[in-house]
């Protein structure tokens, strides 16, 4: 059985919360009503941002730029703000050298998620990527995990998934037949069975894979 793991992206491999705050402040600086635009974006896009949100942004503040131009500028700034810690990149490289097949299964718009993967230095280290925007299916739907495994060139069964969302990552992985490691941070729903393992940081999850995840 191949050593196979899928990772979530936002707030698992990269810190979206910090990158989002930096991106929004810089994005809004050019607007006359920057404080109001920043407040709107911070509220409306806190969990995720999509191209259609920038239609709403343009209409709400009567901005002159087309929505697609605003979206492209946001994608560029968000990618520039996202970083992956060197220690995480090093750990991913070590997993790859140890013979693990690695992929990313992430919710979000395809262009922004892939831009973040490239900018953070993660893209060259993984074998396949599946973004919900590719097929308009979001985790916890098992089809996104299946697509990620297919793009990695391995069967889905017997693998692992690491992520921060109890519903999307842990429950979704279980529905797809994967073992899961939960990166703590969000509240855990009382009615949801526990993940196989729980950690405070993705580095701890990778360490688990290195020592016992292949069994």
């Amino acid at each position: 059985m191949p050593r196979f793991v899928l990772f979530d992206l936002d707030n698992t491999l990269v810190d979206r919360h910090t990158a989002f705050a930096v991106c929004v402040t810089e994005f809004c600086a050019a607007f006359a009503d920057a404080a109001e635009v920043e407040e709107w974006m911070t509220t409306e896009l806190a969990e995720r941002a999509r191209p259609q949100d920038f239609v709403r942004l343009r209409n709400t503040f009567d901005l002159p730029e087309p929505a697609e131009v605003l979206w492209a500028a946001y994608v560029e700034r968000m990618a520039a703000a996202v970083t992956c810690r060197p220690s995480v990149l090093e750990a991913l490289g070590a997993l790859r050298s140890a013979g693990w097949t690695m992929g990313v299964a992430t919710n979000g718009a395809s262009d922004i998620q892939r831009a973040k993967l490239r900018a953070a230095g993660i893209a060259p280290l993984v074998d396949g990527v599946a973004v919900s925007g590719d097929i308009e299916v979001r985790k916890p739907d098992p089809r996104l995990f299946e697509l990620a495994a297919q793009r990695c060139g391995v069967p889905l069964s017997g693998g692992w998934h690491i992520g921060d969302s109890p519903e999307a990552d842990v429950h979704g992985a279980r529905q797809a037949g994967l073992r899961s490691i939960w990166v703590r941070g969000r509240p855990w729903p009382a009615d949801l069975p526990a993940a196989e393992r729980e950690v405070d940081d993705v580095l701890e999850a990778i360490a688990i894979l290195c020592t016992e995840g292949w069994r």
Side-chain angles (χ1 to χ4, degrees):
M1 183 177 295
R3 301 179 183 184
F4 171 54
V5 59
L6 293 174
F7 290 91
D8 174 49
L9 177 60
D10 292 323
N11 302 316
T12 299
L13 290 176
V14 302
D15 179 358
R16 181 188 183 270
H17 295 317
T18 299
F20 176 70
V22 171
C23 168
V24 169
T25 298
E26 294 179 350
F27 179 88
C28 296
F31 299 124
D33 45 358
E36 290 81 3
V37 177
E38 184 170 350
E39 181 180 3
W40 186 95
M41 292 183 69
T42 300
T43 301
E44 296 293 323
L45 310 183
E47 289 299 318
R48 60 175 173 147
R50 303 163 298 175
Q52 53 266 43
D53 294 319
F54 287 77
V55 176
R56 295 193 297 121
L57 174 66
R58 182 176 188 267
N59 292 339
T60 298
F61 294 98
D62 194 27
L63 301 176
E65 297 87 350
E68 58 268 26
V69 172
L70 294 170
W71 170 249
Y74 174 82
V75 169
E76 181 178 358
R77 288 190 178 277
M78 190 66 177
V82 164
T83 60
C84 183
R85 288 173 290 159
S87 56
V88 174
L89 293 174
E90 182 179 349
L92 292 175
L95 267 188
R96 190 175 183 86
S97 297
W100 282 79
T101 299
M102 300 184 297
V104 172
T106 175
N107 288 339
S110 297
D111 51 357
I112 193 168
Q113 297 302 78
R114 284 189 165 79
K116 285 152 65 176
L117 285 166
R118 290 191 299 270
I122 298 167
L125 297 173
V126 298
D127 300 286
V129 175
V131 184
S132 64
D134 295 346
I135 54 174
E136 297 304 324
V137 166
R138 293 177 58 81
K139 294 182 295 184
D141 193 309
R143 287 176 289 177
L144 193 65
F145 298 94
E146 291 166 1
L147 178 62
Q150 178 185 340
R151 289 180 173 174
C152 288
V154 296
L156 186 64
S157 61
W160 289 80
H161 180 70
I162 298 171
D164 71 301
S165 169
E167 294 89 351
D169 293 310
V170 176
H171 177 64
R174 183 176 292 115
Q175 295 295 105
L178 297 168
R179 291 171 286 178
S180 60
I181 302 176
W182 177 46
V183 181
R184 300 185 191 100
R186 303 188 188 200
W188 188 271
D191 60 345
L192 197 66
E196 278 78 5
R197 299 296 295 268
E198 299 180 10
V199 297
D200 291 317
D201 188 275
V202 69
L203 286 174
E204 297 175 57
I206 294 173
I208 289 172
L209 297 182
C210 290
T211 57
E212 62 183 82
W214 55 271
R215 298 174 187 172

